[in-house]
Structures are given as C-alpha cells and as structure tokens.
Amino acid sequence: RLVTFKGKHPNVRDNAFIAPSAVVIGDVTVGRKSTVGYNAIVRGDLGHVEIGESSTVNDKAVVIGPSFIGKWSTVDPMATIDQAVVHPCSFIGAGTILGRGSVVGAAAGSPAGRAKSSDACSDHKTSPLADGSVVFRIFVLSPTSARVVLSG
C-alpha cells in the first residue's frame, strides 16, 4: 500500500514489486526491479528513503528515513534500518538492527541477529575509502553484542 504523507507520495520505478500487505509511506523512492516484501514497512515520514535498483527489503523488515539502501542489496526478514546507510551490494541479515547513523560499506554484510548503533562502533579504527565511505562488517557474537571487522 502506498501512502501519501504531507504531500509526498512514494515513487516506485518500473518493474518494482510492492507486496499487497507492505506499507510504503511518504518520501520514498523504490528503484527499478526492487522488491518490498510482505508486511514490510518503509517510512519516509521522517526523511527520504532511497531503495536502490534490484534491491530487496524482505518480509516484515522496517526501514525508517532518512535512509539509503544501495543497489543490489538485500535486507532480510525482520531487519530494521533506522536512519542508516547501506552501500551497494550489501547484505543485512534477518533480525539485524542498524541504529541511527550506522553505515554499512559496499559489499559488506551483517549476519542474522542484532547489531548496535554506530555509537557502539565509534571506538574502532576505521578504514576510509577514496570516496570517504567506511567499509566494515558486523558479526553477531550474542544477542546483546556485536563485533566490527574492518575490510580492505
């Protein structure tokens, strides 16, 4: 279901699939050949949400804007992306929670479980790329802790 919010209507590009039970609200762009699965919620009421080309937001996932999900990325069922950036070709595992300000680098992954917000990673050394982005992987050790492994 596409819902207009404060004059902003979701923009769904060609060949994108929005499941009948999904809710896409406000300032949202869903790229070509992308999927928003059953019972997923994409909220563009707090800021713009961009879902890149050929990306998938699976069943019961929640995306809260402002957020960016790059092309060819997958957000598994029941994951939450809360005002975060997921660069292209990335994988966010089932049940993962990316908190406000989190950034997942290109071709990185977050296996199933819970990941803490970017504040949890602020003490870790980062490895910026030429374009200024940071690549890291999040591995879940237990439901209450995560370990960040830098790539590159």
Side-chain angles (χ1 to χ4, degrees):
R1 174 170 74 137
L2 303 178
V3 179
T4 301
F5 182 80
K6 291 190 177 179
K8 302 243 180 193
H9 188 74
N11 177 10
V12 179
R13 307 257 166 95
D14 13 320
N15 296 331
F17 172 73
I18 309 295
S21 60
V23 179
V24 181
I25 304 167
D27 191 9
V28 176
T29 301
V30 179
R32 294 177 54 243
K33 302 179 188 175
S34 292
T35 299
V36 177
Y38 293 90
N39 297 314
I41 299 171
V42 182
R43 291 183 44 198
D45 55 339
L46 300 176
H48 181 68
V49 175
E50 177 85 24
I51 299 172
E53 178 180 340
S54 299
S55 290
T56 301
V57 175
N58 277 301
D59 303 352
K60 298 182 182 178
V62 177
V63 180
I64 302 166
S67 288
F68 173 81
I69 299 171
K71 61 185 177 178
W72 306 313
S73 293
T74 298
V75 177
D76 256 5
M78 299 187 346
T80 299
I81 310 295
D82 184 2
Q83 300 179 18
V85 174
V86 177
H87 284 281
C89 303
S90 295
F91 172 80
I92 306 302
T96 298
I97 298 170
L98 291 181
R100 294 179 182 175
S102 296
V103 177
V104 175
S110 172
R114 185 183 324 215
K116 294 185 179 184
S117 72
S118 61
D119 295 339
C121 306
S122 61
D123 293 333
H124 294 277
K125 188 175 177 184
T126 59
S127 176
L129 299 175
D131 66 357
S133 63
V134 176
V135 176
F136 63 88
R137 297 179 189 272
I138 301 171
F139 294 94
V140 175
L141 302 175
S142 74
T144 57
S145 66
R147 176 176 59 134
V148 175
V149 177
L150 300 173
S151 301

